[in-house]
């Protein structure tokens, strides 16, 4: 069984995710309405070398005390290359009840040992890179996850869209046109060869918010 997957992004009118200034408070305020069981983020979004912790600091890392009635989501980070080392800071942020790294069979053993020593859970799915279908199934089976909110940019969104794993797309359209050829979009994937790969959506919600931002929610129809 697969959990329901929601992609929620702040975008410009042309679907870009950089150069304009998103209203972050509004973004996370609305995101909290899903009450997701797990927040899924990619390593590029989470990786922060400035917050990476030293061995000494990590020695203070105790296993999290998770109360049965804790309703905070899990933080799930895909990181097949074993780059994320700011788990202590992420735990201290207090937004998540616990953390799970998604790794692959090629993930260095030393990184898995690093995670174990810091009481960070991990699931091994996929050979070279993370297999997200298997990962979502694993999150459901092991942690009872029924709803995942994806907090990522176009790369991870693109992988999930192309694998047919997304159920809902929620966009906060900001009143800006970014343009350019290198600015990033909320959906990056290899060029299509036939129109058969276009994902059709059904509009389920539309609201004009403060500051000329429009909130659109769509259901993936296929
Ligand atoms: N505007 C918004 O609403 C919004 C929201 C969140 C984030 N962002 C921005 O989005 C940007 C990052 O977005 P992003 O999507 O580029 O990065 P990301 O969210 O970090 O996603 C990249 C992830 O995709 C994985 N990946 C890449 N190729 C893969 C493949 N072939 N198979 C399996 N997994 C693969 C990577 O895995 P490995 O680690 O295993 O390589 C990595 O974990 C940041 O600038 C962030 O600030 C914007």
């Amino acid at each position: 069984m697969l959990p329901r997957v929601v992609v929620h992004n702040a975008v410009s009118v042309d679907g870009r995710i950089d150069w304009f200034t998103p209203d972050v408070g509004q973004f996370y305020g609305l995101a909290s309405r899903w009450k997701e069981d797990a927040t899924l983020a990619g390593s590029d979004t989470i990786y922060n070398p400035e917050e990476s912790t030293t061995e000494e600091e990590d020695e203070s890392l105790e296993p999290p005390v998770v109360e049965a009635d804790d309703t905070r989501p899990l933080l799930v980070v895909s990181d097949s290359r074993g780059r994320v080392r700011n788990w202590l800071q992420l735990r201290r942020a207090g937004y998540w009840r616990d953390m799970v790294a998604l790794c692959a069979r090629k993930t260095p053993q030393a990184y898995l040992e690093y995670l174990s020593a810091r009481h960070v859970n991990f699931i091994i799915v996929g050979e070279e890179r993370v297999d997200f279908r298997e990962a979502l199934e694993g999150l459901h089976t092991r942690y009872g996850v029924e709803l995942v909110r994806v907090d990522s940019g176009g790369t991870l969104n693109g992988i999930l869209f192309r694998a047919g794993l997304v159920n809902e797309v929620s966009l906060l359209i900001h009143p800006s046109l970014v343009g350019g050829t290198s600015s990033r979009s909320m959906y990056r994937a290899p060029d299509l060869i036939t129109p058969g790969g276009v994902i059709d959506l059904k509009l389920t919600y539309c609201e004009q918010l403060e500051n000329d931002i429009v909130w659109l929610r769509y259901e993936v129809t296929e």
Side-chain angles (χ1 to χ4, degrees):
M1 154 115 190
L2 288 167
R4 180 175 172 81
V5 174
V6 179
V7 164
H8 176 60
N9 273 146
V11 297
S12 65
V13 168
D14 52 337
R16 311 298 172 108
I17 57 167
D18 46 16
W19 288 99
F20 70 99
T21 309
D23 183 332
V24 177
Q26 184 189 59
F27 178 87
Y28 284 107
L30 294 174
S32 67
R33 293 195 192 179
W34 275 282
K35 301 195 184 325
E36 74 258 26
D37 302 307
T39 315
L40 172 62
S43 59
D44 293 324
T45 296
I46 293 294
Y47 177 66
N48 185 344
E50 283 167 23
E51 286 191 349
S52 296
T53 43
T54 61
E55 293 283 327
E56 219 170 53
E57 285 172 300
D58 282 352
E59 274 170 20
S60 63
L61 202 53
E62 298 288 335
V65 181
V66 184
E67 308 288 347
D69 59 351
D70 192 335
T71 56
R72 291 173 298 166
L74 287 173
L75 173 65
V76 180
V77 181
S78 72
D79 186 18
S80 66
R81 291 168 286 168
R83 295 187 304 154
V84 174
R85 286 175 191 258
N86 45 318
W87 298 103
L88 182 58
Q89 257 64 14
L90 292 166
R91 183 166 287 160
R92 281 182 183 157
Y95 301 129
W96 301 282
R97 69 175 189 277
D98 205 353
M99 301 178 299
V100 182
L102 301 178
C103 299
R105 280 177 274 284
K106 281 277 164 71
T107 303
Q109 183 60 30
Y111 186 65
L112 303 182
E113 285 163 16
Y114 167 90
L115 293 175
S116 298
R118 283 145 190 87
H119 315 286
V120 177
N121 309 292
F122 59 85
I123 305 182
I124 298 180
V125 277
E127 196 52 47
E128 302 262 343
R129 308 293 283 274
V130 169
D131 177 324
F132 284 94
R133 181 172 291 273
E134 238 186 278
L136 290 168
E137 283 167 354
L139 289 171
H140 177 73
T141 313
R142 292 192 200 189
Y143 301 98
V145 170
E146 291 187 350
L147 197 139
V148 173
R149 182 178 61 80
V150 183
D151 195 354
S152 97
T155 309
L156 181 53
N157 289 350
I159 291 164
L160 297 168
F161 281 132
R162 283 287 168 84
L165 294 170
V166 179
N167 301 95
E168 180 178 350
V169 181
S170 162
L171 298 175
L172 294 175
I173 315 271
H174 287 56
S176 314
L177 281 168
V178 175
T181 54
S182 62
S183 55
R184 288 172 295 180
S185 95
M186 56 80 62
Y187 182 9
R188 292 195 65 209
D191 287 338
L192 287 176
I193 298 161
T194 70
V198 174
I199 296 168
D200 294 322
L201 304 173
K202 180 173 175 34
L203 183 67
T204 55
Y205 188 78
C206 175
E207 182 183 350
Q208 181 172 349
L209 306 172
E210 283 179 347
N211 304 322
D212 293 334
I213 295 168
V214 179
W215 186 16
L216 299 177
R217 292 176 65 177
Y218 296 92
E219 201 65 17
V220 175
T221 57
E222 50 200 277

